[in-house]
């Protein structure tokens, strides 16, 4: 929705102008756009940097997707819309920008204008809400460039929904108005077949450069915010005692309550009497509701501020927002009208310093501005929501469509909906607020708005609402409760430490159960972050006294206040010292020492590289002391050692035997089967793997060379040291990395065979239902498919030259097999779409045969073991071209029915005259060249392999 999150009335603007003039001459002027466009990479703006950090910390996903959908009644010219959208992306550099990192600093780089932006059209029944949500939730890859995605749902001949999905790093609410206006004009010109000349807009990279150059002018503002927020602490909200299993990252609950038609006019009149906007009054109501709910008088609520000032910024597309922390003292039981005055003054003061990025404020405040789990000061926000922006294409009647992502950016948000049918909204994260508490607060907010509309002289104590009665804590830690209810755990304990990190202890029912990492991942999925132990330790038996009580003194690794010892503890201390400039004590807090989000990312990268153990910035923020972080790393080293101990020791040097085969992607699902097949054939293997994953592939007959697809020098060296190459690694989302890696490998390839595991996506969208091997590719190709095709052509051009051996391209469809990485398909893509619906018992809608002129829709598939046999066969007998590797084809209807049977579900399978994008696959592929190697072995039929994948995923 478009939002009114900054004061906008005449009286308030006059007051702001008066104060600005009074301070003119003492405050440096903000930089304004110019027509000069610098070239090359640009720094990130402060707002972009926040988005980039969230992505690096693993807190991105669909949380920062910005869906923009409109239902259009009337004729829609899809070709003209494609032309218009492509022209829009050419006009605005920020819409075709990728985000990289040099050293510790991120940067943005404008990509060349695309030839065209794909606009797929999908036939749907009903409103297509599920298809819109699924499209909007698809993640972006910031390193590849977050081009806007388009999707058109066709409800009827003259009834469509157009969805554009942006990443928030490229756009804000104010930008959507510009996008809608320009797209409308560009579409009209395309329909008429005429050129449309628009003035050149300001470019966001220039804005970011100017902001970066003017960073020195923020010192005075930072000083103001440091004084203003001194002593403020994050609000404690009543979290659910036992969150539901299966929660996403930040799943949201939204409670909307209709308001009487008289409420908004009365609130506007109240604002007029107090020289305040409707937003200010609604913000005061949010403060009042929160005070009644928590009993706290010193509260902070965040609202969105904007940097869009003056005509020179008009037409700028990009992220130009900032969070303003509004702190208000509610003591003294004031009347609501007096509270409006207090909020107005606090808001005016915040507006004077709105140019100071909120992240810099948090860095200056340090640990005091964060909760125990790293959550920053602003957990609650408020806004006025107006009618959402629509895309009024000429010749149509436009109706805005809300696309629900179901995720909460903040723990709690208040909204006043200033629309034809006024309402109020309370949204909260399921892991942040107990459902009963959220319901109570939503009811109280609606009642409070109605009450102050009638009588603004009511004091706080007389307003609707009451403090939330927090249930008494159980004696048992929530993590212990969750472990005890795990089907594969027989006993568990989570004693509260006097010092050091929280450690969980568990006893499994039988050997071969979940690892400590898997148990901790389970706890992270069902508990609030601050309740998750730093590590889980497995025991043969729980130490208990004669009466059954836990004997905590006999627990291994019990925390103490002693100094840290060991290589990993010393590495953690050294990393803290290097990045924070001071040597920490074992239990010093990362944020108290001056840490912040970017340093957390840098600290994780330093430790991950030095110790060769997996670690993320989010791990650092959740394990904030050297002791807790060292305990986490100790646990991960234990897991790695346990995995490595199951493999026989490596007994030879890398080039001790001739015929060594280099395998990339060995830690993946396909790679695991390739390594198994090569070792079974007695071939010496050199596996490329990251340092932290090396133990997963090392074993008898397999040596490891450290590296990945981004390490081009390492790739070249690895290829030069081998006698044959099987290239199975792929980033999936970064085609430029895949192509650069292939170029480096081909450059270093001077002898022996080279086998490239490609994809049937390289065929594009063929016109015929049956696709022969080496058929020409048909546009459009996905970025993934185009990258595969580019790599294939590069390899085939080099084959047989300069002493090189034969080259084989093996195009593979969906790969099924009993491996953890392959089971991920039960969560993603076409297989995941059907599996998740069958698991939840939801209806499964499939395209009816004959839809869109296609007689068959389904999945071409190959068993991972069969693919491994086919690929290794090419080492001895290269195909000198392209071969397909398939085990068979399964119609969607048969696959859905089998999944329903395996899951003992009752999902209704429905056939419709529409095709979901993930199910739009009407092609079947010939696989003659490698037929002998692909011949089905016992247990390789599709029902058996699917059962193996499903059974293990349910364990």
């Amino acid at each position: 929705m478009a939002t009114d999150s900054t004061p906008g009335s005449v009286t308030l603007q006059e007051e702001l102008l008066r104060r600005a003039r009074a301070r003119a001459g003492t405050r440096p002027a903000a930089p304004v756009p110019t027509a000069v466009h610098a070239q090359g990479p640009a720094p990130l703006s402060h707002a972009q940097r926040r988005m980039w950090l969230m992505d690096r910390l693993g807190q991105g996903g669909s949380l920062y997707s910005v869906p923009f959908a409109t239902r259009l009644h009337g004729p829609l010219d899809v070709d003209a819309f494609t032309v218009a959208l492509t022209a829009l992306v050419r006009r605005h550099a920020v819409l075709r920008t990728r985000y990289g990192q040099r050293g510790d600093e991120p940067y943005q780089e404008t990509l060349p204008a695309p030839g065209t932006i794909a606009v797929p059209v999908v036939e749907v029944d009903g409103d297509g809400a599920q298809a819109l949500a699924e499209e909007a939730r698809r993640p972006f890859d910031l390193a590849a460039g977050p081009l806007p995605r388009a999707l058109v749902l066709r409800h009827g001949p003259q009834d469509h929904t157009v969805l554009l999905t942006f990443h928030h790093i490229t756009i804000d609410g104010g930008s959507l108005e510009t996008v809608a206006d320009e797209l409308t004009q560009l579409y009209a010109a395309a329909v008429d077949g005429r050129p449309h000349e628009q003035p050149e807009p300001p470019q966001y990279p220039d804005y970011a450069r100017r902001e970066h150059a003017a960073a020195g002018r923020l010192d005075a503002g930072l000083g103001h915010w440091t004084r203003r927020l001194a002593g403020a602490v994050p609000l404690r909200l009543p979290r659910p005692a036992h969150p539901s299993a299966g929660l996403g990252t930040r799943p949201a609950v939204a409670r909307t309550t209709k308001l009487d038609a008289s409420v908004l006019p009365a609130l506007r009149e109240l604002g007029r009497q107090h020289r305040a906007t409707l937003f200010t009054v609604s913000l005061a109501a949010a403060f009042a509701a929160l005070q009644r709910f928590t009993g706290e008088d010193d509260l902070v609520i965040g609202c969105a501020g904007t940097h869009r000032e003056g005509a020179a910024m008009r037409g700028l597309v990009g992220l130009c927002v900032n969070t303003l922390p509004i702190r208000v003292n509610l003591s003294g039981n004031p009347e609501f009208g007096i509270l409006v005055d207090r909020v107005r003054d606090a808001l005016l003061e915040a507006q004077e310093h709105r140019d100071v990025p909120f992240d810099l404020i948090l860095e200056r405040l340090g640990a005091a501005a964060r909760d125990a789990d790293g959550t920053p000061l602003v957990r609650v926000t408020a806004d006025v929501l107006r009618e959402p922006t629509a895309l009024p294409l000429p010749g149509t009647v436009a109706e805005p469509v809300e696309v629900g992502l179901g995720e909460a950016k903040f723990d709690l948000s208040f909204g006043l909906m200033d629309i034809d049918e006024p309402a109020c909204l309370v949204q909260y994260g399921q892991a942040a607020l107990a459902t009963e508490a959220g319901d109570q607060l939503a009811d109280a907010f609606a009642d409070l708005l109605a009450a102050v509309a009638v009588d603004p002289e009511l004091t706080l104590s007389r307003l609707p609402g009451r403090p939330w009665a927090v249930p008494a804590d159980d004696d048992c830690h929530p993590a212990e409760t969750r472990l005890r209810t795990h089907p594969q755990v027989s006993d568990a304990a989570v004693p509260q430490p006097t010092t050091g990190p929280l450690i969980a202890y568990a006893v499994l029912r039988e050997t071969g159960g979940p690892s400590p990492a898997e148990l901790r991942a389970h706890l992270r999925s069902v508990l609030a972050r601050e309740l998750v132990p730093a590590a889980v330790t497995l025991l043969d038996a729980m130490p208990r006294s004669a009466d059954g009580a836990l004997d905590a003194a006999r627990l291994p690794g019990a925390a103490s206040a002693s100094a840290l010892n060991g290589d990993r503890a010393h590495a953690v201390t050294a990393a803290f010292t290097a990045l924070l400039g001071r040597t920490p004590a074992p239990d010093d807090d990362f944020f108290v020492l001056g840490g912040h989000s970017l340093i957390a990312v840098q600290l994780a990268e330093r430790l991950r590289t030095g110790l060769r153990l997996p670690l993320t910035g989010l791990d650092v923020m959740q394990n904030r002391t050297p002791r807790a972080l060292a305990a986490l790393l100790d646990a991960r080293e234990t897991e790695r050692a346990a995995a490595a101990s199951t493999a026989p020791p490596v007994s030879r040097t890398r080039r001790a035997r001739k015929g060594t085969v280099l395998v990339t992607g060995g830690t993946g699902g396909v790679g695991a089967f390739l390594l198994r097949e090569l070792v079974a054939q007695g071939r010496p293997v050199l596996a490329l793997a990251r340092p932290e994953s090396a133990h997963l592939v090392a074993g008898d007959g397999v040596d490891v060379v450290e590296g990945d697809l981004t390490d081009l020098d390492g790739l070249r060296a690895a290829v030069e040291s081998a006698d044959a190459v099987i290239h199975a690694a792929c980033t999936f989302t970064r085609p430029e990395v895949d192509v650069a890696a292939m170029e480096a490998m081909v450059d270093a390839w001077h002898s022996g065979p080279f086998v490239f595991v490609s994809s049937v996506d390289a065929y594009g969208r063929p016109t015929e239902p049956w696709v022969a091997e080496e058929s020409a590719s048909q546009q459009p190709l996905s970025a993934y498919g185009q990258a595969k095709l580019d790599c294939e052509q590069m390899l085939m051009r080099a084959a047989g030259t300069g002493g090189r051996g034969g080259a084989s391209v093996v195009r593979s469809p969906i790969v099924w097999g009993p491996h953890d990485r392959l089971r991920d398909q039960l969560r993603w893509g076409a297989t995941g779409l059907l599996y998740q619906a069958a698991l939840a018992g939801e209806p499964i809608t499939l395209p009816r045969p004959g839809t869109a002129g296609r007689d068959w829709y389904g999945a071409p598939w190959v068993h991972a073991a069969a693919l491994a046999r086919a690929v290794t066969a090419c080492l001895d007998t290269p195909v000198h071209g392209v071969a397909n590797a398939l085990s068979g084809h399964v119609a969607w209807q048969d696959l859905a029915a089998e999944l329903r049977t395996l899951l003992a579900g009752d999902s209704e399978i429905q056939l419709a005259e529409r095709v979901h994008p993930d199910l739009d696959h009407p092609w079947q592929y010939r696989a003659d060249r490698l037929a002998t190697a692909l011949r089905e072995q016992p247990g390789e039929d599709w029902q058996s392999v699917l059962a193996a994948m499903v059974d293990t995923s349910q364990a």
Side-chain angles (χ1 to χ4, degrees):
M1 284 188 173
T3 62
D4 170 24
S5 53
T6 57
S9 72
V10 174
T11 54
L12 191 53
Q13 293 299 328
E14 288 176 347
E15 177 65 11
L16 283 171
L17 182 59
R18 182 191 65 78
R19 295 191 182 191
R21 285 172 176 166
R23 301 175 69 233
T26 62
R27 177 183 175 186
V32 296
T34 67
V36 178
H37 303 307
Q39 301 299 313
L44 270 59
S45 70
H46 288 293
Q48 285 181 314
R49 191 183 185 92
R50 177 66 176 167
M51 293 295 105
W52 179 81
L53 278 170
M54 290 300 99
D55 186 75
R56 292 297 305 276
L57 289 169
Q59 293 181 308
S62 64
L63 190 63
Y64 294 106
S65 290
V66 180
F68 176 32
T70 302
R71 186 82 173 253
L72 298 171
H73 302 279
L76 174 65
D77 187 333
V78 176
D79 291 338
F81 182 74
T82 301
V83 171
L85 179 60
T86 304
L88 178 81
V89 173
R90 288 174 182 160
R91 281 175 53 77
H92 296 280
V94 73
L95 298 181
R96 46 186 171 88
T97 294
R98 64 176 294 271
Y99 301 87
Q101 183 179 5
R102 286 195 178 96
D104 293 333
E105 285 301 314
Y107 66 89
Q108 56 184 308
E109 181 178 29
T110 302
L111 300 174
T116 186
I117 301 292
V119 182
V121 180
V122 178
E123 303 276 348
V124 296
D125 295 328
D127 60 9
Q130 181 177 352
L132 293 173
E134 289 172 352
E135 170 64 17
R137 290 192 186 105
R138 283 204 295 129
F140 287 92
D141 181 4
L142 297 187
L147 289 175
R149 298 195 303 259
L151 176 66
V152 173
L153 302 185
R154 190 173 187 269
H155 310 283
Q158 296 195 7
D159 186 5
H160 301 80
T161 296
V162 174
L163 170 66
L164 297 177
T165 308
F166 304 87
H167 193 284
H168 200 11
I169 200 171
T170 69
I171 205 164
D172 58 15
S175 300
L176 286 180
E177 300 287 348
T178 298
V179 166
D181 180 63
E182 290 194 8
L183 264 181
T184 300
Q185 297 180 48
L186 291 165
Y187 174 82
V191 168
D192 295 341
R194 57 179 171 81
H196 181 71
E197 297 296 334
Q198 293 179 326
E200 183 182 4
Q203 297 296 332
Y204 192 84
D206 298 331
Y207 166 84
R209 289 186 180 96
R210 289 188 299 271
E211 185 189 77
H212 186 75
R217 67 186 178 88
L218 300 177
D219 291 343
L222 269 174
H224 161 80
W225 283 114
T226 302
R227 295 186 296 273
R228 185 73 181 87
L229 297 174
V233 296
L235 182 67
R236 301 292 293 178
L237 293 171
R239 293 186 182 271
H242 303 292
S244 301
L247 293 182
T249 306
R250 297 183 68 89
V253 176
R255 281 283 311 275
T256 303
T257 306
K258 291 185 178 180
L259 298 175
D260 187 84
S262 64
V263 172
L264 258 61
L267 295 180
R268 283 194 177 89
E269 174 59 22
L270 172 60
R272 188 190 65 78
Q273 295 174 7
H274 289 265
R275 297 183 298 114
T277 62
L278 178 63
F279 171 76
T280 305
V281 176
S282 70
L283 180 59
F287 271 109
L290 202 57
Q291 192 275 342
R292 296 289 293 147
F293 180 72
T294 64
E296 299 288 338
D297 290 334
D298 184 6
L299 295 172
V300 177
I301 293 181
C303 67
T306 181
H307 298 311
R308 297 179 181 275
E309 299 176 349
M313 293 281 282
R314 191 171 297 130
L316 176 68
V317 172
L319 184 60
C320 300
V321 295
N322 186 30
T323 299
L324 300 181
I326 311 301
R327 185 181 190 181
V328 173
N329 186 336
L330 291 89
S331 63
N333 194 28
E335 295 178 358
F336 184 76
I338 295 175
L339 177 59
V340 170
D341 293 338
R342 294 183 187 180
V343 172
R344 179 201 63 214
D345 292 343
L347 196 54
L348 283 167
E349 184 180 51
Q351 285 289 321
E352 293 178 2
H353 302 280
R354 64 186 177 276
D355 53 340
V356 181
F358 182 56
D359 277 7
L360 294 186
I361 298 171
L362 288 179
E363 290 179 18
R364 179 67 64 89
L365 293 173
R370 293 183 181 270
D371 205 348
D373 63 354
T375 303
L377 181 63
V378 172
R379 308 182 73 170
V380 184
T381 64
D383 209 344
V384 169
L385 310 175
R386 298 228 163 87
E387 292 290 352
T389 302
L391 183 61
L393 297 184
T396 67
V397 177
E399 174 188 348
V401 176
E402 284 293 315
V403 180
L405 297 177
E407 296 190 39
K409 291 184 176 67
F410 294 91
D411 288 346
L412 175 64
S413 296
F414 295 90
L416 180 61
M417 304 174 73
D418 184 9
I419 56 180
D420 291 341
E421 296 184 358
C424 65
L425 169 75
V426 170
Q427 177 180 283
Y428 58 91
Q430 288 186 40
L433 190 65
T435 301
E436 299 82 0
D439 291 344
Q440 175 184 311
L441 185 56
D443 292 338
F445 184 52
D447 293 342
L448 190 150
L449 287 168
V452 299
V454 174
D455 184 3
E457 295 182 357
L458 289 172
T459 60
L460 283 183
S461 61
R462 296 172 58 201
L463 291 176
R466 67 182 189 280
W468 170 252
V470 180
D473 290 336
D474 296 332
D475 293 336
C476 186
H477 191 281
E480 182 174 329
T481 301
R482 281 294 179 180
L483 286 173
R484 286 178 176 276
T485 58
H486 193 286
Q488 293 175 278
V489 174
S490 63
D491 197 3
V494 184
Q496 190 66 38
T498 55
T499 61
L502 186 71
I503 304 294
Y505 301 87
V507 178
L508 299 181
R509 294 188 182 278
E510 56 187 21
T511 58
S515 68
E518 291 170 329
L519 288 176
R520 189 172 184 273
H522 168 68
L523 294 177
R524 289 183 63 178
S525 71
V526 298
L527 293 175
R529 285 172 292 181
E530 69 270 17
L531 297 178
V532 178
V536 177
T537 298
L538 296 181
L539 305 176
D540 293 330
M542 192 66 63
R544 297 190 180 277
S545 58
D547 60 359
L550 178 70
D551 187 352
R554 293 164 53 201
L555 288 171
S560 69
S562 61
L564 298 182
N565 293 305
D567 293 342
R568 285 173 293 280
H570 293 157
V572 169
T573 301
F576 267 67
T577 303
L579 292 172
L580 298 172
R582 52 194 293 192
T583 302
D587 298 304
D588 279 352
D589 187 286
F590 171 75
F591 292 109
V592 171
L593 295 171
H596 50 76
S597 302
L598 180 57
I599 293 180
V601 171
Q602 296 167 353
L603 184 65
E605 290 179 349
R606 178 183 290 250
L607 290 172
R608 182 173 62 248
T609 302
L611 298 176
R612 300 181 180 180
L613 289 169
L615 192 69
T616 68
L618 191 59
D619 289 329
V620 174
M621 296 177 70
Q622 293 177 347
N623 300 272
R624 295 162 51 170
T625 68
R627 190 187 304 278
L629 198 56
L632 176 65
L633 290 168
D634 286 342
R636 290 183 177 173
E637 172 59 27
T638 300
E639 295 160 18
R640 182 170 70 174
S645 67
T646 61
V650 177
S651 58
R652 61 179 180 83
T653 59
R654 191 169 67 187
R655 293 305 309 273
R657 295 170 59 186
K658 292 183 179 181
T660 297
V661 181
L662 171 67
V663 177
T664 68
T667 57
V670 172
F673 281 85
L674 283 170
L675 295 179
R676 187 182 307 169
E677 180 67 23
L678 289 167
V679 170
Q681 295 178 12
R683 299 179 187 261
V685 180
L686 182 63
L688 184 78
R690 294 189 180 95
E692 61 267 25
S693 304
H695 64 283
L696 299 176
V697 295
D700 189 18
V702 179
D703 283 339
V704 177
V705 58
E706 295 173 358
D708 60 26
L709 296 187
T710 63
D711 179 10
L712 301 184
D713 290 338
L715 278 175
R716 294 186 185 95
V719 172
E720 290 173 350
S721 67
D723 300 306
V725 178
I726 296 177
H727 182 29
C730 179
T731 67
F732 293 99
T733 59
R734 299 178 64 184
E736 77 283 359
V737 172
D738 295 325
V739 173
M742 176 60 88
E743 184 176 12
M745 295 177 72
V746 168
D747 181 62
W749 173 41
H750 295 300
S751 64
F754 194 125
V755 188
F756 176 44
V757 181
S758 186
S759 167
V760 295
D761 283 30
Y763 286 114
R765 297 185 64 84
T767 55
E768 298 298 323
W770 275 96
V771 183
E773 292 169 307
E774 288 198 301
S775 295
S777 300
Q778 302 289 327
Q779 294 291 339
L781 272 73
S782 65
Y784 170 73
Q786 184 64 57
K788 289 292 189 185
L789 185 61
D790 292 345
C791 289
E792 292 177 4
Q793 294 172 346
M794 193 184 309
L795 176 64
M796 297 312 300
R797 284 194 299 267
T801 66
R804 297 180 177 94
S808 305
V809 172
V810 180
R811 288 183 178 174
S812 160
I814 296 173
V815 183
W816 287 340
H819 187 278
D820 287 342
R821 295 293 294 274
L822 298 176
R823 291 185 191 101
D824 286 344
Q825 294 179 81
L826 299 179
R827 292 188 288 272
W828 310 110
T831 312
L833 181 72
L834 303 184
Y835 174 82
Q836 296 297 335
L839 184 64
E842 298 173 347
I844 302 175
T845 303
L846 303 174
R848 189 188 309 277
T851 300
R854 301 289 191 172
D855 295 331
W856 181 88
Y857 288 93
W861 73 282
V862 64
H863 194 289
L867 177 60
R869 293 195 299 271
V871 169
T872 56
C874 295
L875 293 173
D876 296 323
T877 311
V879 297
H880 303 292
V882 175
N884 296 335
L886 283 92
S887 295
H889 300 82
V890 183
W892 294 135
Q893 196 167 351
D894 294 335
L895 179 57
E898 185 70 15
L899 285 170
R900 184 176 61 181
T901 300
L902 290 172
L903 296 170
D906 56 359
S907 295
E908 178 186 358
I909 298 177
Q910 305 169 344
L911 299 181
E913 300 293 331
R914 60 186 175 90
V915 185
H916 186 283
D918 287 344
L919 303 179
D920 188 12
H921 199 286
W923 304 286
Q924 300 184 59
Y925 302 89
R926 304 287 184 189
D928 302 322
R929 293 184 171 184
L930 298 173
T932 300
L934 290 167
R935 187 175 297 124
E936 183 180 295
Q937 301 295 319
E940 289 183 2
D941 60 286
W942 71 270
Q943 293 96 338
S944 296
V945 68
L946 199 63
M949 294 168 69
V950 170
D951 287 347
T952 308
S953 72
Q954 291 291 93

